[in-house]
Amino acid sequence: MPMMGSKGLRRNDITALLLIGLVSLAPIPLASNRPGLWAITDMLVFAIFLAQAVMRVFDTDDRSRFLPRNRVIIILFIITSIWHAIQVLPLGAILPGPESGLAGFGETISLVPGQTVLMGLNFLAYGVVFILAYQIGQRPDRTLRLFSWTGYMIGAFAFYALYNFAVDNNALLGLPRQFYVGDAAGTFVNRNSFATFLGAGLVLNTGLVGEAIFGALSERRRPALQTALLHALIAAVLLAGLLATHSRMGLFAGLVGAVTCWLLMMVRSGIGWRIKAAGVAPVVVGLAVIAALYGHGLFERLGSSQTDFDVRASLYGQVWQLVLERPWLGFGAGAFEAAFPLVHHLPVSPDLLWDKAHNTYLTLVAELGLVVGALPVLIFLVLAVRFARALSTGPVARLGAGIGLGVLVQVGVHSLVDFSLEIHAVALLFVFLMGIGTAATGKGHRP
């Protein structure tokens, strides 16, 4: 396929800079986890997309694909987006109420239509970020740069968090921290969400180390040892940051994702077993050293795991009761906080504000219903299959597939017990990486 023209190259390079800038800035103001910040970031995303679309019309030399060839992802996304809109239509009067009478309908399906509109705009923005990342990730050299820049960026957040943790762990952007005092949370309010953010960076830098070593050996190239050492150092900083968050599941999910990525790239690289065995040793030693330096606070929290599990089990049982109140229609995107009091009772403490289900999968089905709530998960499964099939198709595709699968595993595992993917900055980073990974593993990925 012909190379992209110079105009297309410049346009996509500019779009790449704008997009990486947005993903880098979004975590700074409290992970952009406020409605006003949602609106600002969504507006910027749509503005970048509009500029890209207009320039693309006049760029006759551009040969990049606008959307992935897999239409299943697009169809599932469109259905979910339309359902967000349906939930705020004045349909409540024609819908029969549930037999229990606890969750009858008002004017709209959503209990909080304004919040559902915002969540719908967020969902559209995530789709646009995915599309933009897919478009700019269709050149191997740019794919590598995007992965590298993102790895550096997340590493910088980890370094800042560790510095802040050492100097004044009670500070949040220079102000007194109200929550999670004594935990490294960087610019985030919640340490667990920050751990998910760092975990994605750990997977990303692990993949870049694997490509610099195993990818080079499999292609009969000299390993890029300086690149491998740099990303290994960043991965060590990220792991130290994860340990300092004291997030048990954040650390576990990050390690599972990184190990998944590392093993896939080793196994699929076609190198000898002796090299593979040698590649495991420094990882084990590094984990042991960093755990000894930063793991004390985390290990202390392991003793309370059983108590926390009992609390979560009770919470999840009540959330499931909420799902059964409206199993097919849901309570509206973003309506969990308003809906949960309908079923909230002891032993789940009434002294705490339960505005999150602490399980993204339960949140989806409670807010969107069992059918539509399952569609975003199905999108991720389709992406996982795509990545798995691309592991043996070339070095850049293997890198995109390894990172894509590693991040999917990491975020998917952590979402079982927390709500990190419901945090705006984390969601933007996630779909950004998924878009680049999808481009890297596509048939249209140009040499």
Side-chain angles (χ1 to χ4, degrees):
M1 183 174 291
M3 291 287 288
M4 185 187 304
S6 60
K7 292 182 180 179
L9 177 61
R10 289 197 299 269
R11 171 174 57 78
N12 281 326
D13 282 338
I14 292 172
T15 302
L17 288 173
L18 292 174
L19 202 54
I20 194 72
L22 178 68
V23 173
S24 302
L25 292 175
I28 294 177
L30 307 178
S32 294
N33 195 39
R34 298 292 185 273
L37 296 172
W38 296 347
I40 293 172
T41 54
D42 291 351
M43 179 185 67
L44 292 174
V45 167
F46 297 140
I48 295 172
F49 182 68
L50 178 61
Q52 171 84 334
V54 170
M55 289 188 291
R56 188 184 179 94
V57 170
F58 295 99
D59 186 5
T60 57
D61 293 330
D62 187 14
R63 297 293 186 270
S64 62
R65 289 189 59 83
F66 186 75
L67 293 171
R69 285 185 171 88
N70 191 326
R71 294 294 184 260
V72 175
I73 298 174
I74 300 169
I75 292 171
L76 295 176
F77 177 82
I78 291 174
I79 292 173
T80 308
S81 301
I82 292 174
W83 184 243
H84 279 77
I86 292 175
Q87 286 188 317
V88 299
L89 294 178
L91 303 174
I94 64 174
L95 295 171
E99 293 182 3
S100 68
L102 289 178
F105 295 102
E107 184 178 352
T108 62
I109 294 174
S110 174
L111 295 185
V112 283
Q115 184 80 352
T116 300
V117 170
L118 279 175
M119 298 303 292
L121 289 174
N122 281 350
F123 191 73
L124 287 174
Y126 300 150
V128 169
V129 170
F130 177 88
I131 292 172
L132 288 171
Y134 174 77
Q135 291 179 9
I136 64 178
Q138 292 179 46
R139 287 180 62 94
D141 56 341
R142 193 185 294 118
T143 295
L144 293 173
R145 290 200 303 271
L146 287 169
F147 278 143
S148 296
W149 292 345
T150 309
Y152 300 149
M153 178 268 292
I154 304 176
F157 275 96
F159 182 82
Y160 167 78
L162 288 170
Y163 172 79
N164 194 54
F165 181 73
V167 174
D168 183 6
N169 60 20
N170 191 33
L172 174 60
L173 297 176
L175 300 174
R177 182 180 290 277
Q178 295 181 321
F179 306 101
Y180 300 107
V181 177
D183 303 317
T187 59
F188 285 55
V189 174
N190 187 286
R191 69 174 174 217
N192 298 303
S193 301
F194 186 58
T196 304
F197 186 79
L198 297 186
L202 179 62
V203 174
L204 182 57
N205 283 281
T206 298
L208 289 167
V209 173
E211 165 57 24
I213 298 176
F214 304 125
L217 291 175
S218 67
E219 299 295 319
R220 310 285 188 201
R221 294 182 279 114
R222 184 176 180 179
L225 295 181
Q226 289 183 336
T227 300
L229 182 61
L230 174 61
H231 287 290
L233 179 61
I234 296 173
V237 172
L238 287 161
L239 184 54
L242 271 171
L243 288 162
T245 64
H246 304 149
S247 172
R248 293 162 298 192
M249 198 61 171
L251 174 64
F252 175 75
L255 290 176
V256 169
V259 169
T260 298
C261 178
W262 182 260
L263 291 178
L264 287 173
M265 296 197 69
M266 278 203 309
V267 170
R268 293 294 186 177
S269 62
I271 58 177
W273 67 268
R274 289 185 178 86
I275 300 178
K276 295 176 183 178
V280 174
V283 176
V284 175
V285 173
L287 287 174
V289 171
I290 296 173
L293 292 174
Y294 294 96
H296 179 69
L298 175 72
F299 298 143
E300 282 185 342
R301 295 194 67 234
L302 293 178
S304 62
S305 296
Q306 183 59 47
T307 302
D308 291 347
F309 176 80
D310 294 339
V311 172
R312 290 293 177 87
S314 299
L315 172 64
Y316 296 158
Q318 292 181 25
V319 175
W320 185 247
Q321 292 176 20
L322 184 66
V323 171
L324 296 180
E325 287 292 323
R326 289 188 187 176
W328 311 118
L329 300 180
F331 287 86
F336 179 83
E337 182 179 357
F340 185 64
L342 294 170
V343 297
H344 185 191
H345 57 79
L346 293 174
V348 177
S349 173
D351 297 329
L352 300 175
L353 176 63
W354 297 98
D355 58 344
K356 303 287 186 182
H358 293 266
N359 181 303
T360 297
Y361 307 105
L362 285 176
T363 300
L364 284 170
V365 295
E367 294 184 350
L368 301 178
L370 289 170
V371 176
V372 180
L375 299 187
V377 181
L378 187 55
I379 291 175
F380 301 151
L381 292 176
V382 172
L383 288 174
V385 172
R386 178 193 180 101
F387 294 151
R389 290 176 174 174
L391 282 168
S392 301
T393 57
V396 177
R398 183 167 53 246
L399 175 64
I403 291 174
L405 281 170
V407 172
L408 276 171
V409 169
Q410 177 242 338
V411 172
V413 169
H414 203 178
S415 294
L416 288 168
V417 297
D418 234 311
F419 50 83
S420 299
L421 202 53
E422 301 166 50
I423 303 300
H424 202 51
V426 177
L428 287 171
L429 173 67
F430 176 73
V431 295
F432 177 69
L433 294 177
M434 292 301 102
I436 299 173
T438 302
T441 55
K443 295 181 179 179
H445 201 232
R446 292 181 302 284

